[in-house]
Amino acid sequence: MALPQAWHQRLRLPAVAAPMTDVSGPDLVIAAAVHGIIGTFPTHNAKSTDELDAWLSHIAAATKRTDSVSSPVAPVGANLVVHRSNARLSGDLDCLLRHRPEIVITSVGSPAAVIGPLHDAGILVLADVASLRHAYKAIESGVDGLVLLSAGAGGQTGWANPVSFVRALRNDYDGILVLAGGISDGHGVLAARAAGADLAYLGTRFIATTESLASAEYRQAVVEATLDDIVSSVQVSGLSANVLRSWLEAHGVTQAPPTGLDGNTHTGFAQDRLLAQPNVWAAGHSVSGIDAVLDISVLAERLAHEYQQAQDLLLQAPVNGISRRWR
């Protein structure tokens, strides 16, 4: 589809380790990339723009590409909150322009103002969207692709059915589509591809890894949870976000506030509000597919095996009693 051709040889499977507040740091990004999965992190996880500068330098050095076909390194990227409440927007953007990661994912607001500078620096720009209206606005602004936040995504979430969301856009959009929402294994990655997405976004699955910034208690809570333990709330940032019920109850919130028909009850996003609540236990419906805390090397091997297994199952599937090869 729309992925840069050179990436196909660099990806072990078409997946992104999604950027997660208080979870994604240099160790996670590096481990994902060297094992063939796109690694990303939010710039605000670095406590200052100076620390962001150091993180980007460290990540670049650790993921320096080689010509080795046997050990390709996947692209890495950063997530930039472009909302007007982000006091570090200008400084973090300048930092990204100096370091030139291959990808920047914009969130919470129009990417229009940052696309020009990022493109001039040779950076591919994706935008988080949770509705068709925002998707088409992002397309009009000139993004290279979209991250579709669908029902079941951890943290900031969407309301749309994931397959319907992909199909509604793929019919007339040939840019990069990344599907986010409830994907925890290789079978889910293949399902995203079958629906028409170029890449699958896996966030929650990477919380329960040894390289994540999450606490041991948070990781274990993710392992023990099921999708019935996920609650949508505006408590975290003012936007609908999926979190573990146990975290909400520990903070005095016993149920999610009501949502509108679009599933997005907004009290108004504020970056300071998001950052003022460290160690939020965000998670998505994919918790039901997580049974252990793993090193990313082991997780990557498992995901690749599951992806191949899912392909093999489809190739062997009977149609009208006759086995056919589906490719």
Side-chain angles (χ1 to χ4, degrees):
M1 293 181 186
L3 290 183
Q5 187 60 38
W7 286 15
H8 292 281
Q9 284 69 47
R10 298 171 59 192
L11 296 177
R12 191 172 187 182
L13 75 165
V16 180
M20 295 171 284
T21 298
D22 296 327
V23 172
S24 307
D27 289 348
L28 191 157
V29 172
I30 292 164
V34 299
H35 290 98
I37 297 170
I38 295 171
T40 65
F41 72 100
T43 62
H44 58 257
N45 276 2
K47 300 309 179 186
S48 67
T49 299
D50 286 343
E51 184 174 51
L52 174 63
D53 183 79
W55 279 20
L56 288 167
S57 294
H58 175 51
I59 291 169
T63 59
K64 186 175 182 180
R65 292 177 57 188
T66 70
D67 294 328
S68 172
V69 177
S70 62
S71 56
V73 177
V76 298
N79 168 222
L80 181 66
V81 172
V82 293
H83 193 266
R84 60 183 178 276
S85 65
N86 182 4
R88 281 175 42 185
L89 175 57
S90 178
D92 284 4
L93 174 62
D94 288 345
C95 189
L96 292 171
L97 294 174
R98 291 195 303 274
H99 286 272
R100 301 190 178 191
E102 291 186 71
I103 307 164
V104 166
I105 303 163
T106 65
S107 294
V108 198
S110 171
V114 303
I115 287 175
L118 290 170
H119 277 172
D120 287 346
I123 299 170
L124 184 147
V125 183
L126 307 177
D128 275 355
V129 294
S131 69
L132 285 177
R133 180 170 66 89
H134 289 126
Y136 285 117
K137 282 187 174 182
I139 292 168
E140 290 172 3
S141 71
V143 295
D144 301 290
L146 305 169
V147 177
L148 308 182
L149 300 177
S150 67
Q156 185 184 339
T157 190
W159 64 276
N161 174 282
V163 174
S164 298
F165 204 175
V166 174
R167 297 314 308 161
L169 285 159
R170 187 50 83 197
N171 283 335
D172 59 5
Y173 178 61
D174 60 3
I176 297 170
L177 291 181
V178 187
L179 181 57
I183 301 172
S184 66
D185 59 19
H187 296 268
V189 175
L190 185 61
R193 292 283 290 124
D198 299 281
L199 298 166
Y201 224 43
L202 285 79
T204 302
R205 188 61 194 84
F206 282 85
I207 297 170
T209 59
T210 56
E211 293 90 348
S212 85
L213 298 174
S215 66
E217 294 77 13
Y218 182 10
R219 297 176 192 175
Q220 192 58 35
V222 166
V223 170
E224 294 174 358
T226 73
L227 65 84
D228 286 347
D229 297 311
I230 302 302
V231 178
S232 183
S233 174
V234 297
Q235 184 82 354
V236 178
S237 69
L239 298 179
S240 295
N242 281 335
V243 300
L244 289 173
R245 187 187 307 275
S246 57
W247 183 86
L248 282 180
E249 292 177 347
H251 288 76
V253 181
T254 58
Q255 61 182 3
T259 57
L261 292 177
D262 68 350
N264 293 318
T265 297
H266 302 307
T267 60
F269 175 85
Q271 181 80 339
D272 289 348
R273 179 175 178 176
L274 173 66
L275 300 181
Q277 300 188 75
N279 304 314
V280 173
W281 289 5
H285 291 174
S286 58
V287 290
S288 281
I290 301 171
D291 58 8
V293 177
L294 302 174
D295 291 348
I296 288 178
S297 61
V298 177
L299 175 58
E301 183 70 30
R302 177 182 290 189
L303 291 170
H305 173 74
E306 292 166 343
Y307 187 71
Q308 185 60 56
Q309 184 182 53
Q311 289 180 310
D312 292 343
L313 286 172
L314 282 179
L315 294 176
Q316 297 165 10
V319 180
N320 296 328
I322 301 173
S323 180
R324 295 176 57 184
R325 293 178 65 81
W326 297 344
R327 289 192 181 276

